[in-house]
Amino acid sequence: MSGNEPVRETLIANASVVTPDGVLEKGWIWLKDGRIEALGSKEDGIPSESAGAERIDAAGGWALPGFIDVHVHGGGGHDFMDAGKEGLDAIARFHAMNGTTGLLATSLTASREGLTEVLDRVARYKSEPMPYAQVLGVHLEGPFINPKWKGAQNPDYILAPQPEWLEEWVARYPGLIKIQTLAPETDGALDYIERLASHGIVPSCGHTDATYDQVVAAADRGLRHAVHTFNAMKPLHHREPGTVGAVLTDDRITAEVIADGHHVHAAGLGIVARMKGADKVILVTDAMAAAGMPDGDGYELGGLPVVMTCGVARLKDSGSLAGSTLTMIAAFRHMVREVGVSVPDASRMGSANPARQIGVDGFTGSLQAGKQADVLLLGEDLELRQVWIKGQAKLGSDA
């Protein structure tokens, strides 16, 4: 299905429809002209005007808003650091097939020139119709991080915050950068955090050795986000709560989690969910190019060689986890099945919360009349049955 074909009118009936106000049992949702025309419960009655729509029986399954992945490096054999249009299409298509309807192209620590090239390629891609998952902007992960917690980031390019880089980027690519991750303890980081916030960019902590007090001080200056909570950050200690302690207890900070069963134990995910509440947790994949690809040792992340075994990606030299091969639908299911989070709460973590965090909740991230028809249909078993992006069905087609 190409992005140029007329949008089909679709009515999904007999579904548990997850909305911001609760679950519509035996509900329906009507997609028309790329938007959600209306939705309701069986008692509301299906509008007669929808008679010409293709009708899909959800058979008691779930209708959810499409997932929004604000931290993803690649997939389908391609990486945002070097992907051209064909590679960007491949990444967006792979993740669309797994429930992602919007994403942030996420960079790695690299040179100024390398990061500028990423911004340029993504800006050009966004300027044309996007047939798969919509690239909503860029998440710059680094390069202003702490080498002690570099993880799979290339240490050759780590340095202190450079305000002039940021000013050049926002002037050349207004509105493109949505999040930037840095270590708040580095020289100049607090001023840089204020500068990010002044440009409408979400300041995020990660790959950091910041103490509890340093993170709180950063939140005072505008820090609002933490990448892959628990991973690559100063851990919790009862006398020095560290980065993790501050992220868990400061209500101003929203916490990402990689819910793949490898990065964080299910009990750890449960702690985050209980401490932060359903509105302050964001599910991400942190997926790399190897996502959706076979096991092997021919992969790279940020120029560093990666080996994937049983779907787990690790740096060849150090054995450190190198991003993930996770998908959003798998993360959602893990939170429900292994952590015990409810379907509506897990949906919020994967859709509404990230949409709100990056300022796109006015048109996507929840099932409400008038919003973009970014919709998922799941069976009662939580297996993905269909994905609609702007009203266009994506599974079981040539999209």
Side-chain angles (χ1 to χ4, degrees), residues 97-157:
M97 297 303 102
N98 289 281
T100 297
T101 57
L103 56 81
L104 293 186
T106 305
S107 69
L108 291 157
T109 290
S111 67
R112 180 180 187 174
E113 295 73 23
L115 295 172
T116 301
E117 287 176 9
V118 172
L119 294 170
D120 191 66
R121 280 186 276 103
V122 173
R124 282 187 276 114
Y125 187 73
K126 277 176 54 64
S127 70
E128 301 290 337
M130 295 177 281
Y132 312 116
Q134 304 295 286
V135 178
L136 301 170
V138 170
H139 175 170
L140 294 175
E141 188 182 15
F144 314 135
I145 59 175
N146 192 318
K148 180 177 178 180
W149 295 98
K150 64 182 184 298
Q153 303 278 344
N154 193 328
D156 293 344
Y157 298 107

Side-chain angles (χ1 to χ4, degrees), residues 123-335:
R124 282 187 276 114
Y125 187 73
K126 277 176 54 64
S127 70
E128 301 290 337
M130 295 177 281
Y132 312 116
Q134 304 295 286
V135 178
L136 301 170
V138 170
H139 175 170
L140 294 175
E141 188 182 15
F144 314 135
I145 59 175
N146 192 318
K148 180 177 178 180
W149 295 98
K150 64 182 184 298
Q153 303 278 344
N154 193 328
D156 293 344
Y157 298 107
I158 294 174
L159 73 170
Q162 304 293 311
E164 64 274 19
W165 296 15
L166 178 63
E167 296 306 320
E168 177 199 344
W169 290 333
V170 297
R172 289 180 61 180
Y173 310 105
L176 184 62
I177 303 169
K178 300 297 186 185
I179 299 175
Q180 184 164 17
T181 294
L182 72 162
E185 73 275 17
T186 55
D187 290 342
L190 295 183
D191 288 341
Y192 191 88
I193 286 168
E194 271 195 358
R195 193 179 291 260
L196 286 171
S198 73
H199 287 299
I201 299 168
V202 178
S204 169
C205 65
H207 297 276
T208 171
D209 201 43
T211 65
Y212 175 90
D213 289 339
Q214 286 172 323
V215 177
V216 171
D220 290 341
R221 303 287 286 274
L223 185 78
R224 293 294 180 267
H225 192 88
V227 299
H228 41 55
T229 301
F230 291 117
N231 300 115
M233 59 177 59
K234 189 177 183 71
L236 176 70
H237 186 276
H238 57 286
R239 284 190 291 273
E240 167 44 65
T243 308
V244 170
V247 170
L248 291 178
T249 58
D250 195 312
D251 290 339
R252 296 170 293 182
I253 301 172
T254 298
E256 287 181 9
V257 290
I258 306 172
D260 64 354
H262 304 292
H263 281 77
V264 184
H265 190 282
L269 294 170
I271 289 169
V272 177
R274 288 168 175 78
M275 291 293 295
K276 301 303 293 182
D279 288 329
K280 289 289 185 176
V281 178
I282 290 179
L283 301 181
V284 299
T285 65
D286 198 13
M288 61 165 293
M293 303 296 286
D295 283 353
D297 61 0
Y299 302 107
E300 287 189 355
L301 186 64
L304 304 175
V306 171
V307 177
M308 184 167 69
T309 305
C310 297
V312 180
R314 295 183 180 274
L315 292 182
K316 191 171 186 177
D317 293 339
S318 68
S320 297
L321 286 167
S324 83
T325 59
L326 185 64
T327 61
M328 286 296 284
I329 185 62
F332 165 84
R333 283 197 296 259
H334 188 80
M335 292 299 287

Side-chain angles (χ1 to χ4, degrees), residues 332-345:
F332 165 84
R333 283 197 296 259
H334 188 80
M335 292 299 287
V336 175
R337 294 173 177 172
E338 305 301 328
V339 184
V341 173
S342 70
V343 167
D345 282 353

